[in-house]
Amino acid sequence: MNAERITEKLNILADAAKYDVSCSSSGSKRKNDNKGLGNASNGICHSYTEDGRCVSLLKILLTNHCIFDCAYCVSRKNNDIQRAAFTVQEVVDLTINFYRRNYIEGLFLSSGIFKDADFTMARLVRVAKKLRTEHKFNGYIHLKSIPGASDELMREAGLYADRLSVNLEMPTEAGLKLLAPDKNRQDMIDPMRFLKNEIILRKEEKKLFKKAPMFAPAGQSTQVIIGATPETDQQVLQSANHFYKNFNLKRVYYSGYVPVLADKRLPALNTTVPMVRENRLYQADWLMRFYGFHVNEIVNDGQPLLDLDIDPKLSWAIRNMQAFPIDINKADLQVILRVPGIGVMSAQKIVSARKHGKLNWDQLKKIGISVNRARYFIICNSNEFERRDLTGNNIKQFILAESQSKYLKNKPNQLNLF
């Protein structure tokens, strides 16, 4: 192995991979029971776990050569950049060597498309297969599936990878046709549908046969780019909701478009998507998945854009003041979940704790609710904070005055470009 050349490839292909944000993961429990390397578990990601532990993946492209000319992609075939490609063995060796040095706990592998989907997908699968079968690697593996790859390759990939994902890229088919006219949306949907059905089938097999092989135990995810095309937040979230319901996705990742190329179809190079927009989309996504909100409650025809000043739950609450205040000692769990400043775990703790007596503000603080928000929407076993003559706009101004978001500094209004 030529160390200098490998280092050069690593610099090129790791940098090209940074635009794919869907590299965090959870839900896989691949136990090390064969005296191999690694141990995949919950919380492997490019950030901090709930217990404060920082974990990481080797995140690279197999190649940045590509047959497509997608306007938003730095690896587009007509972009004048330095190109490189790893061999299958080079990726395997890098993963093993980095793992043994305790640099990583797993691999996130994506790729440009060499000559067609199956040719590229076969090489990705070979990397995962060699790691699992030859090196007994039990660390986390996330493969970015190639749109248009055959069912046979997708089935084999699921036997070796913990998570598989097919990027939708644009939130709508119209957006994809505008910026990537050579691509077919159906080529992305078909492997997602196959994975959904195969995961369900394999789970049923596992119930009947304990030794049945695992198949993509961390499920599948996808990523959409926001801000490259003029879709509203309503369109983005409706698309995400469709794929959650119909394809059993674990996650939809929202990636703000990074202006890297000059193209009349794209925003200008000196504009960026506000980070706060990404943040609000993730918050809205959690409301749909964990808090029982329907997408039309968060965004609708009358309000197609998320409020960048406040989070989506607070925005919904101040638009629906007729639903408040609620009695925290009597309300159902699903009602408590809709109160700004109360998370899922806190709501569950409240329902459990009130069995032993009525809760007051001191007890709610100890449970962990955000009193500076929740106090405008609930009553408890105390008269403190009971100011019920405030309008939704009053409450918004009070809360904004008390807290400043790090995302709101120098925020450009990117949507005005369209």
Side-chain angles (χ1 to χ4, degrees):
M1 182 185 293
N2 186 322
E4 289 186 4
R5 179 56 180 154
I6 293 298
T7 301
E8 182 183 11
K9 288 183 182 181
L10 188 58
N11 288 335
I12 295 169
L13 297 173
D15 184 69
K18 69 185 179 184
Y19 299 103
D20 199 321
V21 300
S22 55
C23 56
S24 64
S25 175
S26 62
S28 178
K29 296 182 179 180
R30 186 181 296 273
K31 295 182 180 179
N32 188 341
D33 55 7
N34 56 6
K35 297 182 180 180
L37 291 171
N39 208 2
S41 60
N42 290 343
I44 298 177
C45 59
H46 267 296
S47 61
Y48 292 90
T49 58
E50 291 182 358
D51 60 2
R53 186 171 60 94
C54 183
V55 292
S56 58
L57 304 175
L58 172 61
K59 181 183 178 186
I60 55 175
L61 298 183
L62 186 63
T63 182
N64 63 347
H65 291 278
C66 194
I67 63 174
F68 291 113
D69 197 31
C70 306
Y72 49 83
C73 183
V74 70
S75 297
R76 62 189 289 188
K77 68 179 181 181
N78 287 328
N79 195 22
D80 185 17
I81 59 171
Q82 192 173 8
R83 304 286 179 172
F86 283 122
T87 66
V88 169
Q89 191 59 48
E90 284 171 346
V91 177
V92 171
D93 291 342
L94 280 171
T95 304
I96 296 300
N97 288 333
F98 279 8
Y99 182 84
R100 284 176 171 159
R101 287 169 173 77
N102 203 30
Y103 294 159
I104 61 168
E105 294 184 71
L107 171 67
F108 175 92
L109 184 61
S110 185
S111 183
I113 300 176
F114 282 100
K115 62 179 184 179
D116 60 46
D118 279 354
F119 181 84
T120 307
M121 191 69 207
R123 295 169 81 89
L124 297 177
V125 172
R126 283 173 57 199
V127 171
K129 184 175 182 178
K130 286 175 76 72
L131 284 169
R132 296 294 192 211
T133 60
E134 295 181 17
H135 297 273
K136 309 301 180 186
F137 182 71
N138 293 284
Y140 184 83
I141 297 178
H142 181 154
L143 293 184
K144 184 63 67 172
S145 305
I146 306 301
S150 68
D151 291 351
E152 290 76 14
L153 284 169
M154 297 300 293
R155 182 179 290 109
E156 189 175 11
L159 295 175
Y160 301 114
D162 293 282
R163 173 168 287 184
L164 295 165
S165 56
V166 184
N167 280 359
L168 287 169
E169 300 183 15
M170 294 295 112
T172 62
E173 187 171 3
L176 185 69
K177 286 186 177 298
L178 174 66
L179 300 183
D182 294 335
K183 287 189 174 179
N184 185 344
R185 182 82 157 192
Q186 197 61 42
D187 287 341
M188 303 168 181
I189 293 174
D190 287 344
M192 294 174 73
R193 180 175 289 111
F194 172 81
L195 286 175
K196 170 201 168 183
N197 294 333
E198 196 71 10
I199 289 170
I200 293 172
L201 175 64
R202 297 305 181 109
K203 283 184 178 179
E204 292 302 315
E205 284 185 357
K206 200 70 176 175
K207 292 177 182 178
L208 297 173
F209 308 102
K210 290 184 178 180
K211 293 186 178 181
M214 290 190 295
F215 185 90
Q220 65 168 320
S221 60
T222 192
Q223 173 178 304
V224 293
I225 299 170
I226 57 169
T229 46
E231 288 95 353
T232 64
D233 295 329
Q234 181 187 17
Q235 290 174 293
V236 173
L237 291 172
Q238 283 178 337
S239 177
N241 185 58
H242 168 77
F243 283 95
Y244 277 132
K245 285 187 173 182
N246 295 290
F247 294 86
N248 295 352
L249 295 190
K250 287 286 187 179
R251 288 286 300 274
V252 174
Y253 291 86
Y254 307 95
S255 176
Y257 171 66
V258 179
V260 292
L261 301 166
D263 190 297
K264 63 182 181 181
R265 295 168 292 175
L266 291 167
L269 287 175
N270 61 347
T271 62
T272 57
V273 176
M275 189 179 294
V276 68
R277 187 182 179 199
E278 276 188 42
N279 188 45
R280 296 297 182 231
L281 284 167
Y282 278 115
Q283 290 173 327
D285 187 277
W286 278 60
L287 292 184
M288 294 191 300
R289 290 194 292 142
F290 302 118
Y291 289 80
F293 281 80
H294 190 276
V295 63
N296 290 335
E297 295 181 284
I298 304 169
V299 282
N300 50 52
D301 292 340
Q303 187 167 348
L305 301 177
L306 294 168
D307 192 330
L308 298 187
D309 291 331
I310 56 176
D311 67 82
K313 190 200 275 193
L314 178 58
S315 179
W316 174 84
I318 63 177
R319 297 196 311 269
N320 293 273
M321 291 300 296
Q322 72 280 0
F324 302 102
I326 68 163
D327 187 339
I328 206 70
N329 288 298
K330 297 179 181 178
D332 293 337
L333 175 63
Q334 287 303 315
V335 175
I336 296 174
L337 284 171
R338 289 177 171 250
V339 176
I342 299 181
V344 174
M345 291 184 65
S346 295
Q348 292 170 343
K349 289 178 181 178
I350 287 169
V351 173
S352 178
R354 70 189 186 186
K355 295 176 183 178
H356 308 286
K358 291 186 176 181
L359 303 177
N360 57 35
W361 289 110
D362 287 336
Q363 292 166 323
L364 291 173
K365 287 178 185 178
K366 291 178 181 178
I367 284 174
I369 77 166
S370 178
V371 173
N372 67 321
R373 289 169 181 259
R375 67 187 187 183
Y376 299 107
F377 304 98
I378 65 176
I379 57 175
C380 62
N381 193 30
S382 170
N383 292 324
E384 189 179 3
F385 302 140
E386 290 197 21
R387 294 151 53 182
R388 302 305 167 205
D389 56 338
L390 296 176
T391 65
N393 189 59
N394 291 146
I395 292 171
K396 177 179 177 178
Q397 296 307 316
F398 278 126
I399 291 176
L400 286 176
E402 292 175 353
S403 61
Q404 289 186 334
S405 171
K406 63 182 178 181
Y407 297 107
L408 295 178
K409 297 176 182 178
N410 304 318
K411 71 174 194 318
N413 193 350
Q414 196 262 351
L415 289 177
N416 285 342
L417 294 168
F418 301 102

